Amino acid sequence: MLKRLDKIRFRGPKRDEFLDLAESPNASDSECNDDVPVKQRSSIKDTEEQRDPAGSGTLAMSAPLNQDYKMCDSDRLNEVKGHLEIALLEKHFLQEELRKLREEINVDTLKQELEKEKLKRVDLEQKMNEILRSRLEDSPPPPPPPKPQVTSVNGTGDKQKDTLRSRLWKWLYERFGVYIEDFRFQPEENTVETEEPLSAKRLTENMRRLKRGAKPVTNFMRNLSALSSWHSVYTSAIAFIIYMNAAWHGWVIPMFLFLAILRLSLNYLIAKGWRIQWSIVPEVSEPIEPPKEDLTVSEKFQLVLDVAQKAQNLFGKMSDVLEKIKNLFMWVQPEITQKLYVGLWMAFITSCLLPYKLLGFMIGFYAGIKFFIIDFIFKSCPKLRDKYDTPYIVWANLPTDPQLKERNNATLSRRLSGFEKQIQPTVARGAQSAGMSCGIGREEESGRAYNTKRGPFHEVFNLSENERPLPVCENGWRCCLINRDRKMPTDYIRNGVLYVTENYLCFESSSSRATSSKKNKVIKLHDITDIQKYKVLSVLPGSGMGISITTPSTLKPLVFGAMIHRDEAFDAINTQYMKIINSTAATTVTSPET
């Protein structure tokens, strides 16, 4: 114990003069001296000599003294340990308090704020100097010193003029100086808005806010549609009579302005607490869902999916409208844009020839007939609308960008098919002659034609040249192979592409080299004992995105997960698997008969 005590460094009084635990000073294991233990050893020897003046004369007398010495030494060692533990704890607590103080009082931020304040002060001083200079420049030059006048009456008159002039300048500056300062040009400050992180709760709340904000607009559009379809016969008849009368007298614009003022007045009364509810179409009260605080992981995920679906549909409708308008003005459909072009020319010529009063009457009268009568007939008779409603036909026939892309691909495929039909007889004759001369079959040619990203298909999977992917999966299905028999993370999950041939199920790993096929997986369809749809994560909603395949060579089923086109892949694999099973069953049945 004494050797271990010599290695411990501490700061404080000697071993005989240690304070109590409550009165121990702060100590650290880095600030210390090695002289104290040595001195303590010398003092222990001196005490032993004083206690035993005869030296080591009698062992019987020295034995109890040695026991007392050992007990005192152990107590002292425990006391030293207690001091060291207290010192280390105090050091730890002081370091934690220092770290907290540094976090609370960040010197760097204070310095940055101080620099900003200094820059603001310098800018204010510059502006004050500019204002003072502009005052001096705008103010008239000081009058020359007045010549001594003989009479005192002229001196008092000049002083009164100077005071009146200074007062006038002062009054003008106090009156209009603020407005002059507003016209000073200053560089704009570029402020970058901080983007909020993605949150399911925030996304749901924003969708609800959008729905509440768009509710007045949707109600207004519903009321207009109800007026046009004569939902309430008396209301639509009164509105039709009032509108046509206003159009006859040229009061359409004042009527709309009066309706806007009336709507604002009603909104003011509603804001003051009046209960005014008027709508042509009865409002349908939607059930308000109480906010849920404690949601499970699956409920949160389903909530995010619902909100994302609504946002997707909303953005899709907005994109369709914008793309149709863009394609209308960009002559994507020339026969449709030509009608708009001719109509604009006719409107321009009539606006130049006819007076505005007659032109306004014609537009207002046509709008009333179209809104109240023609639209009602077209809504009631859809066949007439499809034949004679020109705006509806134009808008319905306007294509969006995805529709244009599909049309271009369809026309390109038709051209390619027509070109192939034209050159097919010549190619067939050439193939026959080449087959007779060289002996190359069509099957070998088709087997060599298909290549994967890493090389020929049959070389990547060590198969025969006749094996190639089915037309359903020529490009393969992106997925990840989960082999639960393996324990290493690199072998447990592998990303790659899944192919189906006539006899095999092939998985090409994306991490495998072009010359190595160790990480690729080839499963014979005949060896499969069970194939099922599989859900990798049970907490996620839906039926899953995986396929489990059981073979005799694996203890646990192989899972091909994260497949976007899971149902398509499952149908193709299952169909080919059933074909092989049926063919083998037929061969086993016919073999005994033969």
Side-chain angles (χ1 to χ4, degrees):
M1 295 297 292
L2 289 174
K3 291 181 180 180
R4 291 178 62 188
L5 182 61
D6 291 339
K7 295 179 182 179
I8 297 173
R9 298 180 179 181
F10 65 95
R11 183 181 62 192
K14 292 183 179 180
R15 195 178 298 172
D16 296 335
E17 299 174 357
F18 278 122
L19 299 175
D20 294 333
L21 294 177
E23 299 178 357
S24 63
N26 297 334
S28 63
D29 54 353
S30 61
E31 298 177 358
C32 52
N33 197 349
D34 295 337
D35 297 337
V36 176
V38 178
K39 290 180 181 179
Q40 290 172 352
R41 285 186 179 182
S42 60
S43 63
I44 291 168
K45 291 178 181 180
D46 294 338
T47 54
E48 289 178 358
E49 291 176 356
Q50 290 176 3
R51 291 178 182 177
D52 191 6
S56 58
T58 58
L59 294 172
M61 293 176 65
S62 63
L65 293 174
N66 290 331
Q67 290 178 359
D68 295 337
Y69 168 73
K70 289 179 180 178
M71 291 177 64
C72 296
D73 192 26
S74 63
D75 294 337
R76 288 171 183 172
L77 286 174
N78 292 330
E79 191 176 0
V80 169
K81 289 180 181 179
H83 280 283
L84 288 174
E85 290 178 358
I86 292 170
L88 291 173
L89 287 174
E90 289 180 353
K91 179 183 176 182
H92 179 70
F93 291 147
L94 288 173
Q95 287 178 352
E96 290 292 329
E97 290 179 359
L98 181 61
R99 184 179 61 79
K100 290 179 181 178
L101 287 173
R102 285 178 179 174
E103 290 179 355
E104 293 176 356
I105 305 171
N106 198 349
V107 181
D108 296 334
T109 56
L110 291 175
K111 287 182 179 180
Q112 292 178 359
E113 291 179 359
L114 183 61
E115 291 294 332
K116 290 180 181 179
E117 294 295 333
K118 287 181 180 180
L119 293 174
K120 288 181 180 179
R121 184 177 60 81
V122 172
D123 294 337
L124 290 174
E125 289 179 356
Q126 292 178 357
K127 289 179 181 179
M128 289 296 295
N129 293 329
E130 290 177 359
I131 291 169
L132 292 174
R133 289 175 186 174
S134 62
R135 283 185 185 179
L136 293 174
E137 291 176 356
D138 295 339
S139 61
K147 295 180 180 180
Q149 300 292 335
V150 179
T151 59
S152 61
V153 178
N154 294 331
T156 56
D158 293 337
K159 289 180 180 179
Q160 289 178 357
K161 288 180 180 179
D162 293 338
T163 54
L164 288 173
R165 191 177 298 171
S166 63
R167 287 179 182 177
L168 179 62
W169 279 109
K170 186 177 181 181
W171 180 82
L172 289 173
Y173 181 76
E174 290 178 353
R175 190 81 176 179
F176 302 103
V178 179
Y179 302 104
I180 294 171
E181 291 295 330
D182 293 338
F183 287 96
R184 289 187 179 276
F185 295 100
Q186 295 179 357
E188 295 183 358
E189 296 181 357
N190 295 326
T191 57
V192 180
E193 296 182 357
T194 58
E195 296 183 355
E196 296 182 1
L198 181 61
S199 173
K201 184 177 180 181
R202 189 67 175 172
L203 182 61
T204 308
E205 183 62 26
N206 289 338
M207 288 298 296
R208 290 174 181 170
R209 288 173 54 196
L210 178 63
K211 190 175 181 180
R212 290 194 298 267
K215 190 175 181 180
V217 179
T218 55
N219 290 338
F220 177 72
M221 298 302 295
R222 286 173 60 195
N223 289 329
L224 286 181
S225 178
L227 277 175
S228 176
S229 59
W230 294 73
H231 185 272
S232 176
V233 179
Y234 297 104
T235 306
S236 298
I238 293 170
F240 176 70
I241 292 168
I242 293 173
Y243 177 82
M244 296 306 293
N245 189 19
W248 180 263
H249 293 91
W251 296 342
V252 175
I253 296 176
M255 182 191 69
F256 284 121
L257 294 175
F258 176 74
L259 290 175
I261 294 170
L262 181 62
R263 182 72 256 183
L264 286 175
S265 303
L266 291 175
N267 291 339
Y268 175 77
L269 295 176
I270 292 170
K272 288 298 181 180
W274 290 50
R275 293 184 179 180
I276 301 173
Q277 294 181 356
W278 179 81
S279 177
I280 301 172
V281 182
E283 295 185 0
V284 179
S285 60
E286 298 179 355
I288 300 174
E289 298 180 357
K292 297 180 180 179
E293 296 181 357
D294 299 331
L295 297 176
T296 61
V297 177
S298 60
E299 289 177 350
K300 289 181 180 179
F301 190 79
Q302 187 64 39
L303 182 63
V304 172
L305 288 180
D306 294 339
V307 175
Q309 184 181 4
K310 291 179 182 178
Q312 173 188 344
N313 297 334
L314 178 62
F315 293 155
K317 292 178 181 178
M318 294 173 63
S319 301
D320 291 342
V321 172
L322 295 175
E323 287 174 358
K324 284 187 176 185
I325 294 172
K326 185 248 309 180
N327 294 331
L328 175 63
F329 286 97
M330 293 303 295
W331 293 84
V332 176
Q333 292 286 105
E335 62 274 7
I336 295 176
T337 311
Q338 186 178 2
K339 296 178 181 179
L340 176 64
Y341 189 73
V342 173
L344 290 175
W345 271 111
M346 292 177 63
F348 173 72
I349 293 170
T350 52
S351 64
C352 292
L353 298 177
L354 299 177
Y356 285 103
K357 188 175 182 180
L358 180 59
L359 187 63
F361 168 73
M362 292 173 62
I363 294 173
F365 189 79
Y366 171 75
I369 298 296
K370 176 76 169 61
F371 182 78
F372 285 99
I373 297 176
I374 298 176
D375 286 348
F376 173 70
I377 295 172
F378 284 153
K379 287 178 182 179
S380 302
C381 305
K383 293 182 179 179
L384 291 176
R385 186 176 191 178
D386 296 336
K387 290 181 180 179
Y388 302 107
D389 193 359
T390 304
Y392 174 77
I393 295 170
V394 168
W395 184 257
N397 292 329
L398 277 173
T400 59
D401 289 347
Q403 292 175 354
L404 286 174
K405 190 176 180 180
E406 290 178 1
R407 291 180 186 178
N408 294 331
N409 293 333
T411 54
L412 183 61
S413 62
R414 284 197 299 269
R415 289 177 183 176
L416 290 174
S417 62
F419 180 72
E420 289 176 358
K421 287 179 181 179
Q422 291 178 1
I423 65 172
Q424 188 173 4
T426 58
V427 171
R429 289 193 295 269
Q432 288 177 0
S433 62
M436 292 173 64
S437 60
C438 300
I440 299 175
R442 291 177 61 186
E443 294 181 354
E444 294 180 355
E445 187 177 359
S446 63
R448 293 195 187 96
Y450 186 79
N451 295 329
T452 63
K453 293 182 179 180
R454 302 184 184 277
F457 185 83
H458 66 279
E459 292 181 2
V460 171
F461 296 103
N462 295 327
L463 299 174
S464 62
E465 296 182 359
N466 296 329
E467 293 290 338
R468 58 172 297 164
L470 298 177
V472 183
C473 61
E474 287 186 352
N475 297 323
W477 298 295
R478 297 289 303 176
C479 65
C480 63
L481 173 60
I482 303 173
N483 190 353
R484 291 180 291 181
D485 292 340
R486 304 294 180 90
K487 295 182 179 180
M488 293 297 293
T490 55
D491 296 333
Y492 186 79
I493 297 176
R494 278 182 267 164
N495 295 321
V497 184
L498 183 66
Y499 301 95
V500 180
T501 65
E502 292 182 358
N503 300 309
Y504 294 94
L505 186 65
C506 305
F507 175 79
E508 182 183 6
S509 177
S510 59
S511 61
S512 61
R513 298 179 182 177
T515 58
S516 176
S517 60
K518 292 182 179 179
K519 295 186 178 181
N520 295 337
K521 191 74 176 177
V522 178
I523 303 171
K524 199 170 183 180
L525 293 176
H526 185 269
D527 295 338
I528 295 175
T529 58
D530 187 20
I531 176 172
Q532 291 181 359
K533 293 182 180 180
Y534 188 76
K535 187 175 182 180
V536 180
L537 298 175
S538 60
V539 296
L540 298 179
S543 59
M545 300 172 65
I547 298 173
S548 69
I549 293 174
T550 306
T551 59
S553 61
T554 56
L555 297 176
K556 297 180 181 179
L558 297 173
V559 177
F560 297 94
M563 298 181 70
I564 299 175
H565 305 285
R566 194 274 304 273
D567 296 335
E568 178 184 354
F570 179 80
D571 294 339
I573 297 170
N574 194 24
T575 303
Q576 191 65 24
Y577 172 70
M578 294 305 296
K579 285 182 181 179
I580 291 176
I581 295 298
N582 294 331
S583 63
T584 54
T587 53
T588 54
V589 169
T590 55
S591 59
E593 294 178 357
T594 57

